[in-house]
Amino acid sequence: MPDLLNMLVDSGAIKYGEFVLSSGKKSSVYIDIKLAVTNPEILETVAGMMAEKLKSVDFDRIACIELGGVPLAVALSLKTKKPLVIFRKKKKEYGTQEEFIGDIDRGDRIVVVEDVITTGKSAKSVVERVEKAGGKVVRVIAVVDREESDLTPVSLLRLSDILSQSKFQ
């Protein structure tokens, strides 16, 4: 399996400089998984690695929040043959006014997929919404865990992994 860190670096998804993250925090490293997974080879690699890490997890569905989690959840759904649920950041005020796309049956075991976890706010929002809909979150998985939240996600890479590879800076 190709080395994910090298793939992210080669794609330009890991940037060094001064950045403000969606959480409002400042960081010298920006990790743009949205950009990276526009490359089908990287997306396929991520989905394969996630599927491997979830091999021993008994789950019924995959959930994500738009936008960053969508390609990841779709690719993982194709890999695992599990249906997915896409949560909207904000409930629609028109049409069916649905909060999410897909189905959650009472008791469904759900894996929440994220691109990058910093504070965990987005992932926690999905967890709460899954539970409100009757599901049970059995795992949170992310491509990169910035190791700043109180969540303990399964991750493919941690920020400390990236920073320890000084040749990339």
Side-chain angles (χ1 to χ4, degrees), residues 26-80:
K26 292 183 180 179
S27 177
S28 60
V29 181
Y30 186 74
I31 304 155
D32 192 349
I33 298 302
K34 291 172 196 69
L35 170 65
V37 299
T38 62
N39 177 314
E41 185 181 350
I42 296 173
L43 182 57
E44 185 175 37
T45 297
V46 166
M49 291 175 74
M50 284 185 166
E52 185 63 30
K53 288 204 176 250
L54 294 169
K55 231 183 209 177
S56 64
V57 178
D58 189 18
F59 66 102
D60 304 303
R61 296 181 191 280
I62 299 159
C64 69
I65 196 161
E66 60 182 7
L67 173 77
V70 173
L72 302 169
V74 169
L76 185 58
S77 173
L78 289 168
K79 196 84 171 159
T80 62

Side-chain angles (χ1 to χ4, degrees), residues 109-126:
R109 296 161 307 212
I110 312 280
V111 168
V112 174
V113 176
E114 280 279 16
D115 55 350
V116 178
I117 292 180
T118 303
T119 64
K121 181 180 172 187
S122 176
K124 288 175 188 174
S125 163
V126 175

Side-chain angles (χ1 to χ4, degrees), residues 133-166:
K136 178 183 183 332
V137 174
V138 294
R139 193 75 81 240
V140 175
I141 188 167
V143 180
V144 177
D145 178 8
R146 292 184 67 95
E147 304 170 281
E148 296 177 32
S149 77
D150 58 1
L151 291 174
T152 52
V154 171
S155 62
L156 305 184
L157 289 170
R158 296 173 311 201
L159 183 59
S160 58
D161 300 326
I162 294 167
L163 295 176
S164 71
Q165 302 297 318
S166 60

Side-chain angles (χ1 to χ4, degrees), residues 78-111:
L78 289 168
K79 196 84 171 159
T80 62
K81 306 299 184 221
K82 303 281 184 174
L84 66 115
V85 177
I86 302 169
F87 282 88
R88 299 178 191 282
K89 285 186 180 175
K90 225 171 82 175
K91 184 179 175 180
K92 279 189 351 181
E93 299 300 323
Y94 56 90
T96 59
Q97 299 184 354
E98 295 293 332
E99 186 177 5
F100 58 88
I101 303 159
D103 297 313
I104 297 177
D105 296 326
R106 184 151 303 287
D108 274 352
R109 296 161 307 212
I110 312 280
V111 168

Side-chain angles (χ1 to χ4, degrees), residues 1-7 41-42 45 49:
M1 178 160 298
D3 178 50
L4 179 59
L5 183 53
N6 283 320
M7 294 174 89
E41 185 181 350
I42 296 173
T45 297
M49 291 175 74

